Amino acid sequence: MMSGSKQQLLLLITSLLLAFESSSSLPVNFEVARKSSQCIFDWLEEDERVTLEVFMRKGDPLQTLVTFKGPVSRSREASASALMRSFESNKRAQSIDFSEFVDFEKPDRRSNRRQGEPFKKSFAAKEDGWYNLCVNNERNSNAIAATMDFRKSSELGMPDALSGHIMSYETRVLLDNGPTGNKEDVVEEKKNQIDDTAELMDKFHKLGGILRKVRAKQSAFMYRLDVHKVTNEHTHSKMVVRSLIETLVFMAVTAYQVFQVRRWFTAGKAGMLGSPMGGNAGKRSFY
């Protein structure tokens, strides 16, 4: 059950549904408050493939519960309020009911996901309907920031044979507009029949392709840099807490040792004063 303002959730779902008509393959950034969830909805046809990608940009710890369920409704014309009611009631039989707790600070050997990399999971829709991807913030003490991506084979092509996942929107654009440039530009070059201009345009398109690759690599580098930054901040806070605990333990042990030494000296002094050899009892008189 999703918590938070019902009115805000309605506005959020409505805006997402309108955006999905033209750009449903683009990632969506969310700020998820404590003890709440955020979801995105999208329509899938029967046997259509979908790849889900979730990445936590902020959180302490970097842990969240990822869920994917559906169909929550089989009416393509369903309104945002109807989708929300169907999702909250959770009474409709669902062909997909997936949930997994993801720790971004640790690698996952099952999916070959390394530390700091986004969580990816692919499915095949068993029937037509609306499906929802959610991020739950039940275990974090503060708000978290997450990026969710809902990639469909109808928009980006079938999954990769090796990874089993659908390529991202950026990769699709890079493949469609490779180093040779747009097809319209190539046709225009052939019509001009000017050698010098054709050579210049060819170099220009190659430079544009290289620039796109550089931008893609820079984007991936900044993506990883953000992950390392968040991980380092969390590790630093852990080190501070551990150092504080070690200092307190050291002070407690030192105080205990001082107490024991003083007790030992006090007991020794009392024993000497009370012994038969100490004091006047040990003196003899000679006449």
Side-chain angles (χ1 to χ4, degrees), residues 190-205:
K190 292 182 179 180
K191 288 181 179 180
N192 290 333
Q193 296 296 321
I194 302 175
D195 295 337
D196 294 340
T197 306
E199 183 179 358
L200 180 61
M201 292 299 294
D202 182 64
K203 291 182 178 180
F204 175 76
H205 293 315

Side-chain angles (χ1 to χ4, degrees), residues 204-258:
F204 175 76
H205 293 315
K206 289 181 179 180
L207 182 61
I210 294 174
L211 181 60
R212 283 190 292 271
K213 290 182 179 180
V214 171
R215 287 180 178 176
K217 290 183 178 180
Q218 286 180 340
S219 177
F221 177 79
M222 295 301 297
Y223 192 77
R224 185 173 294 274
L225 189 63
D226 289 341
V227 174
H228 289 314
K229 181 180 178 181
V230 174
T231 304
N232 289 337
E233 290 176 353
H234 184 55
T235 304
H236 175 71
S237 63
K238 284 185 177 180
M239 291 178 61
V240 171
V241 173
R242 290 177 181 176
S243 299
L244 180 60
I245 294 175
E246 291 176 358
T247 302
L248 294 175
V249 172
F250 177 78
M251 293 175 64
V253 172
T254 303
Y256 179 76
Q257 289 178 342
V258 172

Side-chain angles (χ1 to χ4, degrees), residues 117-283:
E117 289 186 342
F119 168 81
K120 296 181 182 179
K121 192 74 174 180
S122 295
F123 297 89
K126 297 181 180 179
E127 51 186 322
D128 298 350
W130 288 97
Y131 293 75
N132 69 306
L133 169 63
C134 297
V135 169
N136 185 285
N137 185 19
E138 291 289 341
R139 302 196 180 189
N140 288 272
S141 56
N142 299 309
I144 64 174
T147 300
M148 292 189 284
D149 197 359
F150 202 112
R151 303 199 290 261
K152 304 193 299 183
S153 59
S154 59
E155 298 174 353
L156 297 173
M158 295 302 291
D160 179 72
L162 295 178
S163 65
H165 301 310
I166 299 172
M167 68 181 69
S168 64
Y169 177 79
E170 292 81 4
T171 305
R172 181 75 270 172
V173 171
L174 185 61
L175 291 177
D176 292 341
N177 303 306
T180 57
N182 295 327
K183 295 180 179 179
E184 293 80 3
D185 296 335
V186 175
V187 172
E188 188 66 23
E189 289 177 15
K190 292 182 179 180
K191 288 181 179 180
N192 290 333
Q193 296 296 321
I194 302 175
D195 295 337
D196 294 340
T197 306
E199 183 179 358
L200 180 61
M201 292 299 294
D202 182 64
K203 291 182 178 180
F204 175 76
H205 293 315
K206 289 181 179 180
L207 182 61
I210 294 174
L211 181 60
R212 283 190 292 271
K213 290 182 179 180
V214 171
R215 287 180 178 176
K217 290 183 178 180
Q218 286 180 340
S219 177
F221 177 79
M222 295 301 297
Y223 192 77
R224 185 173 294 274
L225 189 63
D226 289 341
V227 174
H228 289 314
K229 181 180 178 181
V230 174
T231 304
N232 289 337
E233 290 176 353
H234 184 55
T235 304
H236 175 71
S237 63
K238 284 185 177 180
M239 291 178 61
V240 171
V241 173
R242 290 177 181 176
S243 299
L244 180 60
I245 294 175
E246 291 176 358
T247 302
L248 294 175
V249 172
F250 177 78
M251 293 175 64
V253 172
T254 303
Y256 179 76
Q257 289 178 342
V258 172
F259 171 77
Q260 290 295 334
V261 171
R262 292 188 62 183
R263 182 180 179 185
W264 182 76
F265 276 109
T266 302
K269 185 176 180 181
M272 291 178 63
L273 293 176
S275 64
M277 298 299 295
N280 296 328
K283 297 182 179 180

Side-chain angles (χ1 to χ4, degrees), residues 44 50 68-71 94-98 123-127 131:
L44 294 176
V50 59
F68 179 63
K69 299 180 180 181
Q94 298 173 343
S95 59
I96 297 179
D97 189 356
F98 169 81
F123 297 89
K126 297 181 180 179
E127 51 186 322
Y131 293 75

